Amino acid sequence: DLYDYVRLHGYCNDVNSLLRDMNVGIVASDFEAFGRTTVEFMGTYMPVISVNTGATKELVVDNYNGFLFQSGNEKSLAHAMERTINIFNENAEDKFCCNARKIAEEYSLDKHLAQVYALYKTLLANE
C-alpha cells in the first residue's frame, strides 16, 4: 500500500511547484556530492530528514533544520521521521523551517559562483 502514501513523480521541469505542496524533504542517498536536492528543500522553508553521509551531513544540522539518520538503518530513519512529526505536532516547525532557509541561503548558486570566480581570479593573479 505504499502508493497510498508516497508519490514518485519522476522528472519535472518545475520542481518548485512540487516543493510547495510538501512539508518535509527526505534525502536518503549515500553519495550526494553537493547536496543540491537538500538545498532545494531547505530553500523552500522545508526541514530535511537526511542520511548522515556525503554533503548532506554538512547541510542538515540535527535538531536545528532537520534530522539525520544512520545510513542503511531503517530504524534510525523511522526515528528521524518520528522526531519530524513531533516538531509539527508541537507547532515548532516554524523554527526548523526558518533555520533550513537560513542555511540554504548560505549555499545559493549566486554565492557559490561568486566564490568560484574569486578563486579563479586569485589563481590567475598568482601566475
Side-chain angles (χ1 to χ4, degrees):
D1 297 322
L2 185 61
Y3 287 104
D4 293 339
Y5 304 99
V6 175
R7 283 187 236 147
L8 303 174
H9 291 280
Y11 181 80
C12 177
N13 283 329
D14 183 13
V15 173
N16 287 327
S17 67
L18 293 176
L19 296 180
R20 280 191 291 270
D21 293 334
M22 296 170 57
N23 294 313
V24 177
I26 298 178
V27 180
S29 172
D30 285 333
F31 304 105
E32 282 290 324
F34 173 69
R36 179 178 171 181
T37 302
T38 307
V39 173
E40 286 176 343
F41 287 153
M42 294 187 312
T44 56
Y45 294 90
M46 195 182 314
V48 179
I49 298 170
S50 174
V51 68
N52 64 345
T53 62
T56 53
K57 70 180 179 187
E58 298 172 22
L59 298 167
V60 177
V61 180
D62 198 56
N63 204 35
Y64 177 75
N65 65 325
F67 297 100
L68 295 170
F69 67 94
Q70 296 292 320
S71 174
N73 184 330
E74 66 275 358
K75 288 182 181 180
S76 179
L77 171 57
H79 181 66
M81 294 170 81
E82 183 178 16
R83 292 170 72 194
T84 304
I85 290 167
N86 287 339
I87 68 166
F88 284 92
N89 288 341
E90 297 164 5
N91 294 317
E93 72 272 12
D94 284 350
K95 177 182 83 167
F96 279 79
C97 294
C98 289
N99 292 343
R101 176 63 184 205
K102 194 180 310 178
I103 290 177
E105 288 171 354
E106 294 174 23
Y107 291 91
S108 73
L109 181 58
D110 290 339
K111 186 174 182 178
H112 179 69
L113 290 175
Q115 290 171 338
V116 170
Y117 179 70
L119 176 63
Y120 278 125
K121 281 179 58 176
T122 301
L123 292 172
L124 291 172
N126 291 331
E127 283 193 7

